Amino acid sequence: MRRERGAVPTTRPQDDLYAHVNGEWAAQSPLGSRRSLVTTFTTLQLAADAAVRELLDQDGDVPDVVAKARAFRRSWLDGDAAATEDELRRLLARTADIHDPEDFFRWSGEVHRLGVITPLQHYVDIAAGEERRYAGHVLAATLPLPLDHYRDPAAIEAYRADLAEMLAAVGAEADVAPDLVTLESRLAELHRAAAPRTGAAVPCAAAALPAELPALALFLDGAGIVPAEDGLVHVERPELLHVLTEQLAGCSATTLRGYARWCVLTSLAPYAPPPVSTVWARLNRRAGTQPWLRRDRAGQGEFLLSRAFGHALGHAYATAHVDAETRAEAWDVVRRVLAAYRATLLDCSWLGPRARAAALDKLDRMHVAFVAPERPRDYGGVEIHDDRLLANYRALCAHEIDRELRLTGTPVSADHWRITPSQVNAHYDARANRIVIPAAALQPPLFRVGRLAACLGGLGAVVAHELTHAFDEFRIGTTADGLPEPAWGPAEESVRAERNAALVRQFGGFRRTDHPDLRVDGNRTLCENIADLAGLAVAVRAWDDYGARHAEPDDDAHRAGTRELFLGWARLWRQAMTRPVASVLSRDAPHAPGEARCNQIARNLDAFHTAFGTGPDDAMWCAPADRVLVW
């Protein structure tokens, strides 16, 4: 068997596929205060970021968007701190006009266009229906800390001190900090009690909002957001919105003004001068959130550039780095995965005729957004200054919100991506019934020209993983148009629940080697584990279909390709992290640790045991009766 860089030949794949492939890599991946999490995907993202940086640093005449991105970077690195502080104080001063809950909700709408995150957030996305069009959506925004932190007395006490320090740094009343922590803790409990977010939205008549959801009506009015011609606003988890706004409506004017100031600071802290920005970075480092704040100043600037100009710069990245051969071979991988997924649904023994037909219809009508949108985003209307950082951020926020609002009422656009072409990711967009495969995903080890088996274990398995989200517990009950799908019945649900329970038990019993004291929550990670399992199984099927069509000269050649596929799978899940980050991810992340994603998934597949010749004495062995396949 060919040895890949990073493999440890003394660890057999039959005993530990993950360590066999990634042990040496893990030993060479030092961690520290600025490097607390390293994965295959973060490493590839750094490479894509470096390529984008080269585009920004090129000589000669540059496109307008590159010039503006350069100016934004200069304002981040060398901007006028005094001007930024003055602008921040002016924003904070606007909160003095808040005297009651109605003022607070209207103010929340006014600052929405300025990049301030308040308890209510508006965005534009596709509404369910046979005529797929963009519409306004509203949801309850998340809180600054992970929800479990609000139950940790030590974490909350440290948070209260940080909150008071940040308020005092801008001349706000710091003595309101205990009340704000109490308020956020109550909001955290409401979030915790609410049903999980699925993206599904309830259409509400805008004319009825003043009576049914008055806080939302005030927010939209303050933001100057006019509903579409059909007069509807689409609300995610309206029951959560009701209880959150009721909680805020019961607050005193002093608490509401303080909370408004805290919303400003938490939203704009990265752009503020010290000590606000330094305390904010310290707070997030302790909570294990926003890892980009652990980078140096230049690295933070790269992250913010990707958020601000990522769609246009990503388009330029795709043009420069994805040649015709790469595009053609990567599309061949995608085509094979789609065909294998269709065959998997046709062969799925526990799907009844109606459920199978509905699933096939959804798959057959799925769009594939590949490499980059046809047209890059236009930033012509944004004015960017070399020295006015906060003003630049506000201008970019307003530009993006206005761009989205112009989509309201228009048909679905192939150019409207939620992720950028330079993001190392693949993404299932449920509302568009679309799989998005950006240019940056076409890098080793996800993709290698001329290495079909390895590509299927990498890019192919990732694409099939994302396809599975079209049929996960949150989306199986909807059609390709986002409408309710009644074909899924109790017989299918019973079989799937039984198989899901077996997978939950498997992951709940997994013992990780990097941080042995941390357990894997099989229930919380179930959705992603199912997608991993189906993703790898479909990738293997695509390889088997290729072998059947191309008449492999002997079984050994095909088995060698299967082994290469599983090695590609293992390279996907390289992961090293510090104990604090591991603790946060173990508690909050929807994904299992990389070691579990690699080994526990692979050992469920017959093809793994056949390819590597495992037996009962091998650590990766899983008895046939204990192997699980959901799809």
Side-chain angles (χ1 to χ4, degrees):
M1 185 184 304
R2 172 180 171 180
R3 183 191 172 197
E4 294 285 345
R5 181 183 177 275
V8 179
T10 56
T11 303
R12 303 185 314 141
Q14 295 93 328
D15 292 324
D16 190 334
L17 176 64
Y18 180 84
H20 172 79
V21 173
N22 303 317
E24 184 180 298
W25 171 87
Q28 297 173 355
S29 299
L31 299 171
S33 61
R34 291 182 178 174
R35 191 178 171 88
S36 59
L37 174 65
V38 185
T39 71
T40 294
F41 293 91
T42 60
T43 301
L44 294 182
Q45 190 61 64
L46 288 174
D49 292 344
V52 171
R53 187 165 58 247
E54 289 178 5
L55 294 172
L56 287 171
D57 294 336
Q58 62 188 345
D59 296 328
D61 294 335
V62 296
D64 179 63
V65 67
V66 172
K68 289 181 176 179
R70 286 177 174 179
F72 181 88
R73 183 169 62 181
R74 286 191 293 270
S75 73
W76 173 258
L77 294 174
D78 303 307
D80 186 340
T84 296
E85 188 170 356
D86 287 345
E87 188 158 358
L88 182 61
R89 290 181 183 277
R90 285 196 294 272
L91 270 175
L92 290 166
R94 295 174 65 174
T95 64
D97 296 330
I98 296 174
H99 301 291
D100 53 39
E102 289 74 15
D103 290 338
F104 176 83
F105 293 122
R106 189 181 299 279
W107 169 87
S108 296
E110 292 172 1
V111 297
H112 172 66
R113 290 177 182 267
L114 307 180
V116 176
I117 299 173
T118 67
L120 301 178
Q121 284 292 285
H122 181 274
Y123 66 99
V124 173
D125 208 340
I126 302 166
E130 294 182 2
E131 293 186 10
R132 311 305 302 279
R133 293 181 178 274
Y134 292 102
H137 289 71
V138 179
L139 79 162
T142 56
L143 296 168
L145 293 182
L147 297 183
D148 280 351
H149 272 55
Y150 292 96
R151 289 182 168 180
D152 182 339
I156 283 298
E157 179 56 29
Y159 182 53
R160 184 206 57 75
D162 289 337
L163 195 159
E165 185 175 351
M166 289 174 64
L167 287 171
V170 293
E173 298 87 346
D175 58 359
V176 76
D179 292 338
L180 300 186
V181 171
T182 298
L183 172 60
E184 279 196 354
S185 297
R186 290 173 181 160
L187 298 182
E189 290 304 315
L190 296 175
H191 274 277
R192 190 191 309 279
R197 184 186 176 194
T198 65
V202 177
C204 301
L209 289 180
E212 297 179 2
L213 266 173
L216 178 52
L218 291 163
F219 171 85
L220 295 175
D221 184 58
I225 295 174
V226 179
E229 290 183 4
D230 61 8
L232 297 177
V233 176
H234 299 260
V235 182
E236 283 194 46
R237 299 195 292 180
E239 71 287 347
L240 176 58
L241 217 57
H242 274 290
V243 294
L244 282 175
T245 54
E246 286 174 2
Q247 182 69 54
L248 289 162
C251 293
S252 68
T254 300
T255 300
L256 288 172
R257 279 193 294 271
Y259 192 49
R261 289 162 187 153
W262 184 232
C263 289
V264 171
L265 289 180
T266 56
S267 304
L268 305 180
Y271 305 91
V276 170
S277 58
T278 51
V279 175
W280 180 244
R282 183 182 70 204
L283 183 161
N284 281 275
R285 185 165 56 249
R286 187 174 59 244
T289 49
Q290 300 198 44
W292 68 277
L293 288 170
R294 290 188 284 275
R295 303 182 189 179
D296 60 18
R297 186 73 177 175
Q300 292 174 2
E302 286 185 13
F303 174 82
L304 294 175
L305 270 177
S306 71
R307 291 179 62 188
F309 297 98
H311 289 278
L313 294 177
H315 197 279
Y317 166 91
T319 301
H321 291 275
V322 180
D323 59 24
E325 183 181 21
T326 296
R327 181 184 285 264
E329 290 203 18
W331 179 251
D332 181 61
V333 171
V334 175
R335 180 181 59 80
R336 293 181 185 280
V337 166
L338 288 168
Y341 213 111
R342 194 174 201 283
T344 297
L345 292 176
L346 282 169
D347 291 346
C348 186
S349 61
W350 52 275
L351 283 179
R354 291 185 62 211
R356 190 189 322 278
L360 288 169
D361 180 67
K362 195 171 190 179
L363 181 68
D364 291 343
R365 294 174 60 195
M366 189 172 296
H367 303 279
V368 179
F370 192 56
V371 178
E374 182 178 340
R375 294 171 295 181
R377 289 195 182 174
D378 179 19
Y379 291 82
V382 184
E383 187 174 354
I384 303 295
H385 304 272
D386 284 4
D387 59 347
R388 296 179 59 190
L389 175 61
L390 190 52
N392 290 342
Y393 174 72
R394 290 175 53 185
L396 287 165
C397 288
H399 172 78
E400 178 62 13
I401 290 171
D402 287 341
R403 185 195 68 80
E404 286 205 335
L405 289 175
R406 286 194 295 272
L407 290 172
T408 303
T410 65
V412 174
S413 168
D415 288 332
H416 183 64
W417 285 28
R418 285 292 175 190
I419 61 176
T420 74
S422 58
Q423 281 183 255
V424 181
N425 198 357
H427 167 63
Y428 174 64
D429 183 343
R431 286 177 174 157
N433 193 37
R434 173 169 57 195
I435 180 97
V436 182
I437 307 164
L442 308 184
Q443 301 182 70
L446 273 75
F447 176 81
R448 292 179 171 90
V449 170
R451 299 274 295 278
L452 177 61
C455 289
L456 285 170
L459 178 67
V462 169
V463 170
H465 170 112
E466 294 302 329
L467 289 173
T468 305
H469 284 309
F471 311 105
D472 66 22
E473 60 184 300
F474 302 121
R475 303 176 181 97
I476 190 65
T478 59
T479 68
D481 296 320
L483 297 171
E485 175 53 81
W488 186 262
E492 287 88 2
E493 186 57 43
S494 175
V495 175
R496 193 178 70 154
E498 180 181 349
R499 299 185 182 204
N500 288 357
L503 202 59
V504 168
R505 288 193 297 271
Q506 282 189 1
F507 276 84
F510 188 88
R511 296 295 176 265
R512 56 192 296 178
T513 59
D514 57 347
H515 300 283
D517 59 313
L518 298 177
R519 305 291 291 271
V520 179
D521 187 333
N523 282 299
R524 195 189 64 250
T525 59
L526 176 63
C527 184
E528 296 297 334
N529 294 338
I530 293 171
D532 281 343
L533 183 58
L536 184 57
V538 168
V540 169
R541 178 160 193 155
W543 173 246
D544 288 343
D545 291 346
Y546 170 81
R549 288 187 174 90
H550 290 78
E552 295 287 350
D554 54 57
D555 288 343
D556 287 342
H558 185 71
R559 188 177 293 115
T562 305
R563 289 195 293 268
E564 186 176 14
L565 186 153
F566 279 102
L567 296 179
W569 168 257
R571 282 188 289 272
L572 282 180
W573 307 121
R574 289 176 171 172
Q575 190 178 69
M577 66 188 78
T578 61
R579 179 63 173 73
V581 170
S583 179
V584 170
L585 294 180
S586 178
R587 183 181 61 241
D588 299 326
H591 300 95
E595 179 185 14
R597 299 182 77 173
C598 173
N599 287 352
Q600 192 59 51
I601 294 299
R603 65 196 297 268
N604 275 304
L605 300 188
D606 296 345
F608 172 80
H609 299 284
T610 300
F612 290 99
T614 63
D617 293 333
D618 299 320
M620 285 287 291
W621 172 254
C622 182
D626 296 328
R627 297 172 194 172
V628 179
L629 273 183
V630 177
W631 290 102

